[in-house]
Amino acid sequence: MESFSTYDEVASSDLPSTVLTKVISRAGKSKNYTDLIPLDGGTVGIAHFATGGLSELYKQMDTQEYFGRSQEDMISHYSAKCRPSGKKGNDTGWGCYSQAWWHEGMARFLASPESEKAQYRAWLNLMQPAIKAALAHNWTDRRSLAIAMGIANSLGSAGLNSLATKHNWHAEQVLTAYVGTDAHRARRRDALNAAFGPK
């Protein structure tokens, strides 16, 4: 069984891309590189980058080309602050997604030749804390690390840490607790089992 000991080993392997395409995206059934939806004020791409992940995505693209604004401006004003403040139908709008310049710029980026690689780099950077935490708790095989990334994509690295700590960093128990009775999470578990084998 393949085992990893460092983040760099994981990052340079095919494991993260396999998790992203087969578990997170479910081979396009759940998410795609070209997704652009109003959820959370603007959710984009294969990892469904939203308020918590847009800043990392901006770092991987030429924001001046797509939005006519600097990376600093986009990160400061159009990532965490994308979430709409009002309810649907209110004149407060639907966050970044409702702003034509953002929507059109993001659509151009998602259709561009560099989009897939930029999205992958951003996602891997977001997964780095989760991967490092998992390795530190002896989650060194492909399946355990896939569980870590699958959960962190949903709950963030802090969410993974909190859930895993409650279950003494026992990978299978953490996965079971994460899924609970949630149908979407059950589909993610099933995709993970299909890609990495059930325990």
Side-chain angles (χ1 to χ4, degrees), residues 111-173:
S112 71
E114 69 264 28
S115 173
E116 289 190 16
K117 285 184 178 171
Q119 288 184 54
Y120 178 71
R121 287 193 307 269
W123 181 76
L124 189 56
N125 286 345
L126 288 168
M127 291 298 104
Q128 185 172 342
I131 293 168
K132 286 183 171 179
L135 288 168
H137 289 89
N138 209 31
W139 292 19
T140 57
D141 62 282
R142 289 175 70 87
R143 180 177 168 85
S144 296
L145 288 162
I147 290 170
M149 287 182 261
I151 295 173
N153 190 82
S154 176
L155 305 180
S157 294
L160 167 68
N161 270 305
S162 174
L163 187 63
T165 299
K166 281 183 194 160
H167 296 277
N168 298 313
W169 286 88
H170 185 287
E172 299 304 321
Q173 288 176 16

Side-chain angles (χ1 to χ4, degrees), residues 94-108:
W94 268 111
C96 293
Y97 185 88
S98 66
Q99 300 179 48
W101 66 269
W102 185 91
H103 191 278
E104 289 161 13
M106 190 59 80
R108 279 197 309 276

Side-chain angles (χ1 to χ4, degrees), residues 21-178:
T21 55
K22 292 189 176 177
V23 179
I24 307 300
S25 163
R26 290 180 29 242
K29 289 190 192 101
S30 176
K31 300 171 176 63
N32 290 287
Y33 281 107
T34 53
D35 284 355
L36 179 54
I37 58 176
L39 184 70
D40 290 333
T43 295
V44 303
I46 193 167
H48 277 191
F49 298 97
T51 52
L54 284 170
S55 58
E56 193 57 55
L57 188 59
Y58 295 143
K59 291 175 190 173
Q60 304 300 328
M61 69 166 90
D62 183 344
T63 56
Q64 201 68 49
E65 179 182 342
Y66 297 107
F67 303 106
R69 298 166 194 247
S70 69
Q71 283 184 340
E72 293 76 19
D73 185 37
M74 293 302 294
I75 290 165
S76 293
H77 300 105
Y78 304 100
S79 53
K81 295 178 184 173
C82 259
R83 191 184 296 275
S85 54
K87 292 188 168 75
K88 192 172 186 178
N90 287 6
D91 57 11
T92 49
W94 268 111
C96 293
Y97 185 88
S98 66
Q99 300 179 48
W101 66 269
W102 185 91
H103 191 278
E104 289 161 13
M106 190 59 80
R108 279 197 309 276
F109 164 72
L110 293 172
S112 71
E114 69 264 28
S115 173
E116 289 190 16
K117 285 184 178 171
Q119 288 184 54
Y120 178 71
R121 287 193 307 269
W123 181 76
L124 189 56
N125 286 345
L126 288 168
M127 291 298 104
Q128 185 172 342
I131 293 168
K132 286 183 171 179
L135 288 168
H137 289 89
N138 209 31
W139 292 19
T140 57
D141 62 282
R142 289 175 70 87
R143 180 177 168 85
S144 296
L145 288 162
I147 290 170
M149 287 182 261
I151 295 173
N153 190 82
S154 176
L155 305 180
S157 294
L160 167 68
N161 270 305
S162 174
L163 187 63
T165 299
K166 281 183 194 160
H167 296 277
N168 298 313
W169 286 88
H170 185 287
E172 299 304 321
Q173 288 176 16
V174 175
L175 177 61
T176 299
Y178 165 73

